[in-house]
Amino acid sequence: MTHSKTITLTVNGKAVTAAVEPRTHLADFLRERQLLTGTHLGCEHGVCGACTILIDGEPARSCITLAVACDGHAVTTVEGLDGDPVAADLREAFSTEHGLQCGFCTPGMLVSARDVVLRRPTADDNQIRVEMSGNLCRCTGYVGIVNAIRRVLDARKTAAE
Ligand code: FES
Ligand code: FES
């Protein structure tokens, strides 16, 4: 590997040090070097949202993020949300509301949906659609996805009363 740079970051809470080529994008680094294949690659140019992960808790597109730019940062993939209570509620709601068919978009959908639930607790259906507009799905027509997020928001509202 020529001109590689050594980076240190945390991936799903685990410290990782690795030599990477400057051109390697984060999604390839996660999938091929960390074997975290839950992060999917669709368009590879920042449009479809399938590759959405968290960097320091903020959603980002790993296909247009260079791995070297994550030096010193914390990356969380869908695998890292296994024990997260909001992600658990969303997984169940996506299943109940038929928010997935082939499932290709689902990891990115879950990462973005979790962010919406945490950041927009009072979002109506239209706001959910706008917030999720950076995640494309070729199968569902989106109704089930919106209903799943609605279900989680409503349950959290009821629980807080
Ligand atoms: S694969 Fe990254 S936005 Fe489509
Ligand atoms: S469930 Fe197939 S792309 Fe969304």
Side-chain angles (χ1 to χ4, degrees):
M1 204 180 282
T2 51
H3 307 303
S4 64
K5 181 177 186 283
T6 299
I7 59 170
T8 299
L9 65 165
T10 68
V11 178
N12 297 337
K14 208 179 76 188
V16 171
T17 298
V20 293
E21 286 187 48
R23 66 179 182 169
T24 300
H25 66 55
L26 180 60
D28 275 350
F29 176 73
L30 293 168
R31 290 176 53 83
E32 293 172 12
R33 303 282 300 280
Q34 304 302 308
L35 305 181
L36 293 166
T37 53
T39 298
H40 288 172
L41 280 168
C43 66
E44 282 199 76
H45 61 268
V47 174
C48 75
C51 67
T52 306
I53 46 80
L54 301 173
I55 301 175
D56 297 334
E58 300 284 337
R61 285 160 196 261
S62 55
C63 73
I64 52 170
T65 302
L66 293 172
V68 290
C70 297
D71 192 17
H73 293 276
V75 172
T76 306
T77 70
V78 71
E79 291 93 338
L81 297 177
D82 275 359
D84 178 85
V86 177
D89 289 349
L90 283 165
R91 284 196 297 271
E92 199 180 315
F94 267 63
S95 171
T96 306
E97 298 287 352
H98 306 288
L100 69 154
Q101 287 179 32
C102 79
F104 193 85
C105 68
T106 310
M109 287 286 177
L110 288 172
V111 173
S112 295
R114 176 181 172 277
D115 180 65
V116 174
V117 169
L118 293 174
R119 200 165 40 75
R120 302 291 306 269
T122 59
D124 61 22
D125 285 6
N126 190 50
Q127 288 164 335
I128 292 172
R129 283 181 179 272
V130 170
E131 291 285 350
M132 294 298 293
S133 60
N135 288 75
L136 305 184
C137 175
R138 289 179 295 187
C139 306
T140 63
Y142 300 101
V143 172
I145 292 169
V146 173
N147 288 347
I149 298 170
R150 162 95 282 121
R151 177 181 278 263
V152 172
L153 285 175
D154 288 349
R156 287 169 69 85
K157 231 178 279 168
T158 307
E161 282 167 6

